[in-house]
Amino acid sequence: MTATDDPLVSTEWLAARLGDPKVKVLDASFKMPGVMPRPGDDYLAAHIPGAVYFDVEAICDRGNPLPHMYPDEAQFARDVGALGVSSGDTVVVYDAGGWVAAPRAWWMFLSFGHADVRILEGGLKKWQAEGRPTESGEPSPTPGTFTAKLDPNYLRSKQQLVANLDSGAEQVIDARAADRFEGRVPEPRPGLRAGHIPGARNVPYNELFDAKTGLMKSRDELREAFVRARVDLDRPIVTSCGSGVSALVLTLALYRLGVRGSALYDGSWSEWGALDGPPIATGPA
C-alpha cells in the first residue's frame, strides 16, 4: 500500500492543513448507550479546531428501531451538507482515540461515493498528547452541497447473511470481545441472545490498536490477528459487531492490508441476536 491509498493521515499532516477551506474535519466519537459523559458533550468540551461533530446516532435511519442504521442517500447528503461538507472537499474524520466510530464515518463516506476521505491516526488522544491546540463550544459551519450515491456492495442485510449460512460464500468476522462472541456474558443491549452468527470468526477490534498511544498496529501485526482467527484474506469478507460501528475497525485494518470489496453487516448483533432472530452459535469459533 502506498501513502496515497492509505486511509490514515498523521497529526502532522492535518496540522499543516487546518484552515484549508477544502479540508473538512469531523469528530465522530461514539460511546455505548449509558456511558457518560456523552460523546457530544466531550466534543463540546474539546475538539480539534474547526472540527464539526459527526453524530453516528443522528446521521442514521431514525425510523428504524435498530441502532444507527444507514440513512438513505438524501438524508446522508442533507446531514453532511449541514456539517459544511461539499462533494469536492477532503474529509478527515477522527474519534477520541479508541478506534470506534471514525472508521464507521469513513466507510459511510466511501459507500456514499465520496472517495476523498481520511482517518486521523491516533485521533484526539494523539493530537492532545502532542500538545496540539483544541477548542470548545458549538461551531456554525457554512452549509455545503453534497451529492450521495449509495453503492449497495458496501453493505449486507440479514437476508443475505442468512443465505450465506448455506452457501458459505463470504467469511463473517465479528469484532466483539471474545466473551460476547462465545456467549459467555450477556449482551450490553437488553433483549438480545448471547452468541454469534454460525460459522463466524472472531477478531476483537481492540486487539488491532495500541490503547495507550491510540495508534493502529503494524500491518504485520494486523495480518497476524486475522491469520490467528483463521481468516482467508483472499476470500470475500463481511464484518460484523454489536451494532455496525466497531466492525469497521476490522474493515479499516483489512483495507490497510490491501483487501478490497469487503462489506459491513449493518444490523450486526443488534439485529441477528434478537429473540426471534436467525440461528446462533456459542463457544469459540
Side-chain angles (χ1 to χ4, degrees), residues 176-189 194-196 242:
R176 293 175 299 155
D179 55 359
R180 291 176 62 191
F181 176 86
E182 296 175 12
R184 292 185 277 113
V185 297
E187 280 293 300
R189 290 184 174 85
H196 59 265

Side-chain angles (χ1 to χ4, degrees), residues 66 174 176 180-181 187-189 192-198 240-244 265-274 278-281:
L66 295 171
D174 193 318
R176 293 175 299 155
R180 291 176 62 191
F181 176 86
E187 280 293 300
R189 290 184 174 85
L192 297 177
R193 297 171 292 169
H196 59 265
I197 297 172
S240 180
C241 60
S243 64
Y265 173 28
D266 193 27
S268 285
W269 198 250
S270 293
E271 181 175 45
W272 194 281
I280 66 171

Side-chain angles (χ1 to χ4, degrees), residues 39-110:
D41 294 329
D42 289 338
Y43 163 81
L44 291 175
H47 53 265
I48 292 175
V52 182
Y53 184 50
F54 183 101
D55 188 350
V56 171
E57 301 283 13
I59 304 177
C60 66
D61 179 358
R62 297 166 196 167
N64 194 315
L66 295 171
H68 40 256
M69 293 288 285
Y70 255 58
D72 62 21
E73 295 168 347
Q75 184 189 337
F76 188 79
R78 183 173 61 251
D79 287 351
V80 301
L83 300 181
V85 179
S86 293
S87 291
D89 291 335
T90 296
V91 177
V92 182
V93 294
Y94 73 89
D95 53 36
W99 286 104
V100 181
R104 166 81 180 192
W106 163 75
W107 194 247
M108 291 181 79
F109 274 98
L110 287 180

Side-chain angles (χ1 to χ4, degrees), residues 11 14 18 24-29 38-54 83 92-97 120 123-129 131-141:
T11 50
L14 180 58
L18 282 186
K24 302 299 169 63
V25 185
L26 303 179
D27 183 325
S29 297
R38 299 306 300 151
D41 294 329
D42 289 338
Y43 163 81
L44 291 175
H47 53 265
I48 292 175
V52 182
Y53 184 50
F54 183 101
L83 300 181
V92 182
V93 294
Y94 73 89
D95 53 36
L120 179 65
L124 186 63
K125 175 181 288 189
K126 186 171 188 290
W127 183 272
Q128 291 180 308
R132 300 186 187 275
T134 61
E135 62 184 17
S136 60
E138 186 80 58
S140 299

Side-chain angles (χ1 to χ4, degrees), residues 8 21 38 71 79 109 123-124 144 146 155 211 251 253 255-257 261:
L8 301 186
R38 299 306 300 151
D79 287 351
F109 274 98
L124 186 63
F146 191 90
L155 299 172
T251 302
Y255 199 95
R256 299 195 72 227
L257 291 173

Side-chain angles (χ1 to χ4, degrees), residues 123-258:
L124 186 63
K125 175 181 288 189
K126 186 171 188 290
W127 183 272
Q128 291 180 308
E130 294 169 347
R132 300 186 187 275
T134 61
E135 62 184 17
S136 60
E138 186 80 58
S140 299
T142 301
T145 301
F146 191 90
T147 300
K149 180 64 176 176
L150 179 63
D151 184 343
N153 292 317
Y154 280 73
L155 299 172
R156 293 292 182 272
S157 66
K158 182 177 73 173
Q159 291 74 22
Q160 289 172 306
L161 268 291
V162 168
N164 192 63
L165 291 177
D166 292 327
S167 71
E170 295 182 310
Q171 303 168 97
V172 178
I173 316 176
D174 193 318
R176 293 175 299 155
D179 55 359
R180 291 176 62 191
F181 176 86
E182 296 175 12
R184 292 185 277 113
V185 297
E187 280 293 300
R189 290 184 174 85
L192 297 177
R193 297 171 292 169
H196 59 265
I197 297 172
R201 304 298 187 196
N202 185 211
V203 179
Y205 81 94
N206 60 355
E207 295 182 1
L208 302 182
F209 61 88
D210 186 320
K212 291 183 179 179
T213 64
L215 298 178
M216 184 163 270
K217 292 184 177 179
S218 71
R219 290 187 180 88
D220 286 344
E221 291 172 303
L222 296 178
R223 187 179 303 276
E224 174 56 29
F226 289 107
V227 169
R228 193 165 54 244
R230 306 193 311 282
V231 174
D232 184 345
L233 298 182
D234 294 322
R235 290 186 54 226
I237 292 171
V238 177
T239 60
S240 180
C241 60
S243 64
V245 177
S246 61
L248 277 315
V249 181
L250 306 190
T251 302
L252 172 63
L254 291 165
Y255 199 95
R256 299 195 72 227
L257 291 173

Side-chain angles (χ1 to χ4, degrees), residues 26-37:
L26 303 179
D27 183 325
S29 297
F30 170 83
K31 296 178 182 178
M32 287 289 290
V35 178
M36 303 301 287

